[in-house]
Amino acid sequence: MKVLDARTLGRATLARQLLLDRADRPVLDAVEHLGGLQAQEPQEPFVGLWSRLHGFGPADLSDLLTGRRVVRTHLMRRTVHLVTAEDALAWRPRHDAMLRGRVLGTYRRELEGVDLAELAAAGRAVMADGEPRSMGDLARALTDRWPEPGPRALGEMLVAALIPMVQLPPRGLWRTRAGVRNAPFATWLGRDADPPAPPGTDPVGQELVRRYLAAFGPAASADLRAWCGLAGLPAAVTAVRGELVAFRDERGRELLDLPEAPRPDPGTPAPVRFLPAFDNAVLGYQDRARIIDDAHRGLSVTGARFVLVDGRVAATWTVEDGTVAVTPLRRLSRTDRAQVAEEGRALSGFLSDGAVGRVRFGAASSP
């Protein structure tokens, strides 16, 4: 098999993630192509889409949320993701067991002895009046019946696992601070999640494989698992293997990919890009060496926002009083700094409604 080095894989990631060239495509299409955007920090997807799309305006995403075309929901890895409504409805049943397992991994002692089917039925009965509720409000409505677990454990299990829920706007709208109010899929989207596939079949799993490779490939099965959190996809990979091509990385892992997906020349210039916190371009792999050095990998789960230089994480950034503050993680050349400053000023202008962009560089940090 052909061996793909880290630089080649990095360029493929940039192309699939719409970070090599900003794309001319509608926001809904971009969210669908990316398989959603991680969104536990409500404002971060706006930066993620600004970095990927020509002419992106915040209202484009806010309108999709209020128009019920895009939703915020617990999905991959039990993390809040921004996904199309159609993907939420199709994918949620395939994630149910994983979501329950991950909540139980945190609250197994508190939920010991609780019949989860009874808890789900009781939660649905409370939500049947059509009123959105916070996690705490829903849990407190049931604590008389289940006093021992406490509202946190009950609420997490109900909202993140047992009842497919949407976090309603204004949560997630541009420059809007709002608490989480939840409503079942059926209430907000007009229908419940799709029924599970018949036993012995896994069409959703197979589609997840294809969709993941379209947005992240070439990649190993372990990378796919790291993205979605699902352990039971080997059969789906086997089922679609005949559609795929195979490579190896420098560690000897088998990498799978869609035959016609872009794999740019490793010498293709890569522009500076600013990524939001928890961007899946970094988090969507078990082996993240294609985009971030091992020395800085720990930053990817702390909420650090990254700057890509020549296709790799080279700095972090924050916003302070309208100024984009950049902290290099390694020495940047004069050319690199100039390009980071130019993109940073554009980002500052986006975040401040077209005001003159300001960028400040801090001292390089050590790993």
Side-chain angles (χ1 to χ4, degrees), residues 6-355:
R7 186 176 177 88
T8 301
L9 292 174
R11 289 302 189 267
T13 292
L14 296 178
R16 313 293 174 87
Q17 286 288 305
L18 313 181
L19 293 166
L20 196 59
D21 295 295
R22 279 186 167 93
D24 289 308
R25 62 167 71 191
V27 174
L28 185 68
D29 289 357
V31 174
E32 178 183 26
H33 166 76
L34 295 168
L37 292 92
Q38 194 160 331
Q40 66 264 46
E41 296 293 336
Q43 295 297 298
E44 299 301 307
F46 290 93
V47 174
L49 290 168
W50 175 84
S51 289
R52 289 171 162 92
L53 301 178
H54 279 297
F56 172 73
D60 299 337
L61 179 56
S62 290
D63 289 347
L64 289 172
L65 283 161
T66 57
R68 310 187 189 200
R69 306 286 305 283
V70 163
V71 297
R72 295 169 48 83
T73 187
H74 289 87
L75 203 59
M76 284 77 79
R77 308 186 300 276
R78 199 181 69 123
T79 304
V80 176
H81 271 69
L82 185 80
V83 295
T84 68
E86 291 303 315
D87 282 345
L89 291 162
W91 291 359
R92 174 56 196 261
R94 190 61 178 82
H95 289 75
D96 279 352
M98 178 273 292
L99 294 169
R100 288 195 300 273
R102 293 208 172 192
V103 176
L104 284 174
T106 302
Y107 297 107
R108 189 173 302 278
R109 180 179 59 82
E110 291 87 343
L111 293 167
E112 185 176 0
V114 174
D115 185 307
L116 297 184
E118 289 185 12
L119 179 61
R124 287 182 180 276
V126 171
M127 299 300 297
D129 62 5
E131 290 297 317
R133 287 175 172 82
S134 70
M135 181 185 296
D137 288 341
L138 175 57
R140 283 188 289 272
L142 299 172
T143 50
D144 286 348
R145 184 170 174 182
W146 286 282
E148 294 300 322
R152 184 69 188 184
L154 287 179
E156 287 272 0
M157 178 55 78
L158 285 163
V159 170
L162 294 183
I163 305 174
M165 295 274 206
V166 173
Q167 293 187 357
L168 300 190
R171 181 78 168 177
L173 300 184
W174 178 241
R175 289 189 178 164
T176 301
R177 290 183 177 273
V180 178
R181 298 179 311 130
N182 303 285
F185 279 18
T187 299
W188 184 248
L189 297 177
R191 64 184 176 95
D192 214 334
D194 294 349
T201 68
D202 191 10
V204 175
Q206 294 171 27
E207 185 61 13
L208 284 169
V209 174
R210 298 184 188 98
R211 294 279 296 277
Y212 175 75
L213 293 176
F216 294 88
S221 294
D223 297 318
L224 168 66
R225 186 166 59 249
W227 169 69
C228 64
L230 300 175
L233 286 177
V237 172
T238 298
V240 302
R241 181 177 285 272
E243 306 172 16
L244 308 177
V245 292
F247 305 95
R248 292 205 182 275
D249 65 12
E250 293 173 303
R251 294 168 48 193
R253 301 187 313 160
E254 182 185 50
L255 307 177
L256 300 174
D257 204 7
L258 302 173
E260 303 304 320
R263 290 179 288 275
D265 186 279
T268 303
V272 167
R273 290 288 185 259
F274 281 70
L275 299 183
F278 305 114
D279 195 281
N280 277 339
V282 179
L283 294 183
Y285 300 95
Q286 186 273 330
D287 180 6
R288 300 171 189 166
R290 66 179 68 193
I291 200 166
I292 188 169
D293 294 342
D294 285 343
H296 303 128
R297 180 183 172 116
L299 293 172
S300 63
V301 295
T302 64
R305 298 158 165 161
F306 292 129
V307 183
L308 301 183
V309 177
D310 192 29
R312 297 189 63 79
V313 170
T316 61
W317 67 276
T318 59
V319 179
E320 302 169 8
D321 299 324
T323 298
V324 171
V326 176
T327 302
L329 296 173
R330 60 172 173 80
R331 182 185 174 277
L332 299 178
S333 70
R334 182 177 299 178
T335 299
D336 290 340
R337 289 174 70 93
Q339 292 174 350
V340 170
E342 180 180 6
E343 185 74 358
R345 283 191 291 270
L347 174 60
S348 176
F350 168 74
L351 294 173
S352 54
D353 291 334

